Structure formats: C-alpha cells, structure tokens
C-alpha cells in the first residue's frame, strides 16, 4: 500500500520532470540553432565588408597611380595600374559573390560597369602610348592626358569609388543591425533562462 502511495506521488513528479527535461532540450536546441544562424550571417556580412573594403582600397590605389602618372609621366605608374588591374578583377568577383541584398547588388553592378569602362579606356590609351622602351618618362598627347584625367576624375571617382563607398556604408549598417538583433536575442535568452 505504501508503495502505491509513493508511486501516486512520484509518477506525476516523474512525468513533470520528463516534460521539463524535454522542454529544456528543445529550448537548448532552438537557442543553438539561432546562434548558429546568427553567427553564419554575421560571418558572411563581415566577409563581404572586408571584400568591399579591400576593393575600395585597390580602386583608390588605381586612381592614385593614374594621378601620379599624370603628374610625373613615369611609366612605372602605368605598370602599377596594370598590376593592380589583376587584383581589382579578383576582388570585384569576390565582392559580387559575397553580397546578398538587392541594393548591394545594384551598387556592385554599378561598380563593375564603371570599372569595365575604366579598364577598356585605360587599355586603349596605354596602347596608343609609345612602346615601353628604356625610357622612364612617357610623352603623352593632350588627348591622352584628357582621357586619363577623365578616367581618374569621372570613372574611378564617380562611377567606381562613390558606389563602393555607398556599399561599404550599407554593409556597415547591416552588420550593426545584426549586432543589435543578436544583443536583443541574448537579452531574451537571459530572461528565458532566468524564468
């Protein structure tokens, strides 16, 4: 008889314990999944931010080298632009692969169009210059100077660097929003665990 009284008291407690254990396991799994997804999203956004930053630095260096050539007429600056072109193409492809928002796609498409125009025009202008001999200085026509100035001032500054800067700002805002959401989730998790 005493065993049946103990069983009548213990069985509801055992059932409640199993229910609470199941609820706790589900909550832990849910929290783990949320944190995993948040971590993946933050990592992706940070990788995109880094890729766009590297591309921005490369484009600024391209513009700088074009401007140095315009000031000094030294061929090494043209050679530096040609070397940076390889990095720029790779970084542009990497940035395009990492972005996921429509506004960012629009901005990167604008950068790709602007850079494509820059690269084509730059190659045409360089092809018209005297061959690369032993001379360190290059004689350029006024038309070539005007074309290179347009490349630096219009294409690189307005059509490449401006949308890249906007994309950096947009990406930074996304990372900040994700950070705020992660903090809010952590606060809710803390409250939930306390309850």
């Amino acid at each position: 008889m005493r065993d049946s009284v103990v069983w009548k008291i213990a069985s509801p407690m055992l059932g409640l314990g199993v229910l609470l254990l199941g609820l706790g396991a589900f909550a832990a799994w849910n929290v783990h999944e949320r944190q995993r997804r948040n971590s993946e999203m933050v990592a992706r956004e940070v990788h995109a931010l880094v890729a766009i930053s590297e591309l921005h630095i490369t484009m600024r260096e391209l513009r700088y080298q074009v401007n140095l050539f315009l000031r000094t007429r030294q061929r090494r600056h043209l050679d530096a632009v040609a070397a940076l072109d390889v990095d720029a193409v790779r970084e542009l492809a990497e940035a395009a692969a990492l972005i996921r928002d429509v506004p960012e796609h629009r901005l990167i498409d604008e950068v790709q169009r602007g850079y494509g125009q820059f690269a084509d025009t730059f190659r045409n202008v360089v092809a018209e210059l005297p061959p690369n001999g032993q001379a360190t200085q290059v004689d350029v026509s006024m038309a070539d100077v005007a074309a290179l100035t347009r490349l630096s001032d219009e294409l690189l500054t307005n059509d490449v660097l401006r949308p890249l800067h906007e994309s950096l700002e947009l990406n930074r805002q996304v990372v900040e929003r994700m950070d705020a959401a992660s903090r809010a989730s952590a606060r809710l998790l803390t409250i939930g665990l306390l309850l």
Side-chain angles (χ1 to χ4, degrees), residues 3-187:
D3 286 340
S4 83
V5 171
V6 170
W7 182 246
K8 286 181 183 179
I9 295 172
S11 64
M13 294 291 227
L14 185 62
L16 183 61
V18 169
L19 177 67
L20 289 176
L21 179 65
L23 186 60
F26 174 75
W29 174 83
N30 190 14
V31 167
H32 172 73
E33 283 301 306
R34 283 178 181 249
Q35 291 300 334
R36 184 187 59 77
R37 279 181 289 180
N38 284 345
S39 178
E40 287 174 359
M41 288 189 320
V42 167
R44 181 180 177 90
E45 291 300 326
V46 168
H47 287 296
L49 184 62
V50 168
I52 292 170
S53 295
E54 288 174 355
L55 180 61
H56 190 261
I57 290 167
T58 300
M59 294 301 176
R60 287 180 56 166
E61 182 63 23
L62 276 167
R63 182 180 65 180
Y64 177 70
Q65 291 297 329
V66 170
N67 288 335
L68 279 177
F69 174 77
L70 289 170
R71 284 191 213 120
T72 65
R73 305 292 196 263
Q74 292 183 355
R75 182 168 289 280
R76 66 186 167 102
H77 298 299
L78 294 177
D79 296 339
V81 170
L84 286 168
D85 177 58
V86 174
D87 293 337
V89 169
R90 178 185 46 78
E91 291 168 358
L92 222 123
E94 184 180 338
L98 288 172
I99 59 174
R100 61 182 181 82
D101 291 340
V102 172
E104 284 181 292
H105 275 290
R106 181 186 54 78
L107 290 169
I108 292 299
D109 287 346
E110 191 175 331
V111 169
Q112 286 175 323
R113 279 191 302 277
Y115 186 72
Q117 289 176 346
F118 164 80
D120 292 343
T121 307
F122 180 79
R123 287 184 196 107
N124 291 339
V125 168
V126 171
E128 294 173 5
L129 294 177
N132 187 8
Q134 297 298 330
T136 58
Q137 300 253 193
V138 178
D139 291 327
V140 291
S141 69
M142 291 308 284
D144 291 338
V145 168
L148 287 170
T149 302
R150 180 182 164 275
L151 286 177
S152 174
D153 293 346
E154 290 178 25
L155 286 176
L156 284 178
T157 301
N158 296 331
D159 296 345
V160 175
L161 287 171
R162 183 194 49 76
L164 266 178
H165 182 73
E166 288 177 25
S167 182
L168 276 171
E169 182 62 26
L170 188 64
N171 204 285
R172 186 187 62 75
Q173 290 172 0
V174 167
V175 169
E176 286 177 357
R177 282 194 309 265
M178 291 177 77
D179 180 51
S182 181
R183 289 174 191 261
S185 177
R187 279 193 303 274

